[in-house]
Amino acid sequence: MSIFPKQYADLVQRLRVPTGLLLAAAFVWLSQPVLPTLLLGCPIALLGLALRAWAAGHLRKNQQLTDSGPYAWVRNPLYIGTLFTALGCTVAAARPSLATIVGVVFIFVYLPVMEQEEQHLAKIFPEFEAYAKRVPQLLPRLPKIYPPQRFSFEVYLRNREYKALYGFLLVYGFLIFKSL
């Protein structure tokens, strides 16, 4: 079942990266970080990055249905990690208006993209339907089945997840600089 029209989901799929750049520009313009907010936001953002890294080390895109690691707990750990990273940066930026912007982007960009990706997975993996019934989309739940596949640093590198770390370092570095 889709909440968002396919045409809209296709559009935001293509605009996901430019939207992220606009979000970064909003942080540059609106942020007013201070030491306490930087210290409070950093562990939240790092938790999000760690979740993304863990997920990326299990994700074999379009090769197999990934149901190990964090994918045993929740179907969209990369997006949850992105949300936590953005929330941590939002706390660090010390501007509640940025939280509203992040929320709107998550709802109107990332949710339709998640829907579209799940439709794609259902087409290429017949077992996706059973997986979707067993594993929640966004709110993690202790898995009944925990596949034995282990984290792979090689897979993490192949997925180029280090780019999320670079982006975080750039944004947080800027916020620290702006707080001085």
Side-chain angles (χ1 to χ4, degrees):
M1 181 179 136
S2 288
I3 297 172
F4 298 93
K6 180 163 177 23
Q7 207 171 15
Y8 175 77
D10 289 343
L11 175 66
V12 295
Q13 170 74 21
R14 290 190 305 275
L15 296 177
R16 191 170 39 168
V17 172
T19 301
L21 295 173
L22 287 173
L23 191 57
F27 271 82
V28 168
W29 185 41
L30 297 172
S31 65
Q32 295 179 327
V34 291
L35 183 60
T37 61
L38 287 166
L39 293 173
L40 185 61
C42 190
I44 299 168
L46 291 175
L47 176 67
L49 283 173
L51 179 57
R52 286 188 57 87
W54 183 29
H58 284 267
L59 182 61
R60 287 163 173 80
K61 295 178 186 177
N62 297 323
Q63 296 173 0
Q64 70 182 57
L65 180 63
T66 304
D67 62 354
S68 61
Y71 291 94
W73 297 71
V74 67
R75 294 194 314 259
N76 291 286
L78 282 168
Y79 291 112
I80 295 170
T82 297
L83 181 61
F84 270 85
T85 303
L87 290 175
C89 291
T90 301
V91 168
R95 285 294 297 265
S97 57
L98 285 170
T100 302
I101 295 169
V102 166
V104 166
V105 167
F106 191 80
I107 291 168
F108 292 105
V109 175
Y110 287 105
L111 288 181
V113 169
M114 280 186 262
E115 270 187 10
Q116 189 177 52
E117 287 178 0
E118 289 199 348
Q119 290 167 8
H120 172 72
L121 291 172
K123 285 179 187 171
I124 63 173
F125 299 115
E127 66 273 25
F128 181 79
E129 187 178 331
Y131 169 71
K133 287 179 182 175
R134 186 175 74 244
V135 179
Q137 185 179 37
L138 288 171
L139 296 175
R141 181 174 58 219
L142 189 63
K144 293 177 183 172
I145 301 169
Y146 198 82
Q149 185 178 346
R150 301 187 142 268
F151 175 87
S152 167
F153 190 67
E154 180 183 321
V155 171
Y156 166 88
L157 292 175
R158 188 173 43 236
N159 285 323
R160 300 189 309 252
E161 185 56 30
Y162 50 83
K163 289 183 176 183
L165 176 60
Y166 296 160
F168 164 75
L169 292 173
L170 186 66
V171 168
Y172 229 80
F174 170 79
L175 291 173
I176 291 168
F177 177 77
K178 193 167 181 181
S179 73
L180 301 175

